[in-house]
Amino acid sequence: MSYEFILTHAELAPQVAGIQLNRPRELNALNLQLMGEIKVALEQFDADDSIRAIVIFGNERAFAAGADIKQMAGRNAVDMLKIDQFSTWDSIRRTKKPIIAAVSGFALGGGCELAMLCDMIVASETAQFGQPEINIGVMPGAGGTQRLTRAVGKARAMEMVLTGNFISAEEAREAGLINKVVPVELYLDEAIKLARKVAEKSPIAIQLAKESVLKAFDSGLQEGLFFERKNFYMLFATEDQKEGMNAFVEKRKPEFKNR
Ligand code: CO8
């Protein structure tokens, strides 16, 4: 499969695949084709047993500066409804393997939402996060009002969404939006390091654990707790659970088999 707006790396590191947004002149603005390409690449990586974690990144200047405003400008509500771009986002949300966003520069609008759709975010000191849609007469449409609010709380989310102000990487880390801030020359390496760490675990346990954490976003506490419990019990049907616990008891490193 060849792509126009992304570059894919089947082996960014052992067992770690990479997707690089590649529209640098437009600050990686997310047009429909680019989002479709991310969806297809993720589906391929998700189906590949040799891959255990995925890193999505842009370049030093921009992770992504939002949805492609030029592509959207002339559209009306009926066009937007018929294009149904969010089915692509829903499909990305269903990726079973963990996805880490490595963010440098702008992560704005749909770019911030794409980073938040990932499971963890590593940022460079130069990263800026924002939901500036209000400045162009709209509002976040790909989860910005929901995921951002759950991550940083009402006060800060309101401020970002209603003023369009950006926050720095350090502020984003303090607010709980992102995992780590590192110097710009290290942000991709750090994201890969985190992905490698996750890749060492049992893939089945990782899949169910990811699903369960995401469930906390999608449901009330009680429903989420039942979902978590079911997945927790299910892991006791795996060889990796036996291996993991036995290795602990025997004071050795586990060898997970994805079974
Ligand atoms: N869409 C299209 N083109 C863009 C975008 C964008 N979001 N952002 C930047 N570009 C283009 C610029 O037009 C410019 O192109 P050209 O040279 O042809 O004029 C090029 O990228 C470089 O940008 P600038 O010259 O503006 O660079 P600056 O360093 O001066 O400014 C900024 C950088 C501050 C990031 C500025 O470009 C900016 O404000 N961009 C728009 C940010 C924004 O409003 N994002 C939100 C968009 S709306 C949105 O995301 C809705 C999400 C819900 C749906 C999600 C579906 C994907």
Side-chain angles (χ1 to χ4, degrees):
M1 173 89 196
S2 69
Y3 300 106
E4 187 177 348
F5 296 122
I6 62 171
L7 301 171
T8 55
H9 309 263
E11 197 173 293
L12 198 57
Q15 298 182 309
V16 176
I19 297 175
Q20 180 172 18
L21 314 189
N22 190 32
R23 283 188 88 195
R25 256 177 294 134
E26 292 82 8
L27 306 184
N28 292 331
L30 305 168
N31 64 17
L32 294 173
Q33 188 181 332
L34 192 158
M35 290 307 300
E37 290 181 4
I38 293 178
K39 168 183 177 264
V40 171
L42 282 173
E43 282 169 355
Q44 286 181 353
F45 289 150
D46 220 21
D48 182 340
D49 265 352
S50 69
I51 291 167
R52 296 196 172 177
I54 301 152
V55 177
I56 298 186
F57 57 105
N59 54 57
E60 284 188 12
R61 187 166 175 223
F63 177 72
D68 188 330
I69 301 170
K70 292 166 191 162
Q71 192 177 50
M72 280 187 305
R75 298 220 162 104
N76 63 30
V78 175
D79 298 332
M80 292 299 280
L81 191 74
K82 285 191 175 159
I83 289 168
D84 186 24
Q85 64 187 312
F86 297 120
S87 60
T88 304
W89 289 70
D90 293 341
S91 153
I92 293 173
R93 156 71 178 76
R94 287 192 295 274
T95 306
K96 297 188 190 78
K97 290 177 186 162
I99 308 173
I100 294 160
V103 175
S104 178
F106 299 113
L108 305 177
C112 186
E113 290 168 314
L114 178 61
M116 291 192 290
L117 197 58
C118 297
D119 302 307
M120 289 184 269
I121 304 174
V122 173
S124 84
E125 286 164 347
T126 62
Q128 289 183 280
F129 296 83
Q131 298 289 162
E133 290 90 341
I134 207 74
N135 295 331
I136 52 168
V138 288
M139 60 173 272
T145 65
Q146 303 302 300
R147 291 196 179 93
L148 183 67
T149 307
R150 283 166 162 78
V152 306
K154 177 182 162 190
R156 204 181 285 250
M158 275 295 185
E159 189 177 332
M160 289 173 71
V161 170
L162 301 190
T163 67
N165 286 351
F166 304 164
I167 59 171
S168 68
E170 195 45 49
E171 286 172 298
R173 194 193 58 74
E174 276 166 21
L177 181 63
I178 68 175
N179 297 77
K180 210 167 190 174
V181 183
V182 295
V184 64
E185 60 277 13
L186 293 179
Y187 79 100
L188 189 53
D189 287 345
E190 279 297 322
I192 292 171
K193 213 191 275 178
L194 192 56
R196 287 282 306 135
K197 182 143 200 183
V198 171
E200 282 169 12
K201 320 290 182 200
S202 161
I204 319 172
I206 289 286
Q207 179 186 331
L208 297 189
K210 166 174 167 163
E211 256 181 41
S212 300
V213 175
L214 287 178
K215 190 74 180 174
F217 273 100
D218 298 347
S219 60
L221 181 60
Q222 209 50 45
E223 193 191 335
L225 289 173
F226 279 125
F227 188 83
E228 178 187 74
R229 211 161 292 166
K230 195 164 62 75
N231 281 344
F232 181 68
Y233 291 151
M234 197 144 86
L235 286 170
F236 284 74
T238 66
E239 289 178 23
D240 283 351
Q241 174 266 331
K242 301 281 171 304
E243 168 63 11
M245 293 193 180
N246 287 337
F248 175 82
V249 173
E250 292 158 16
K251 298 188 187 299
R252 61 176 172 81
K253 209 168 179 285
E255 276 183 40
F256 294 122
K257 300 270 166 45
N258 196 11
R259 284 201 293 265

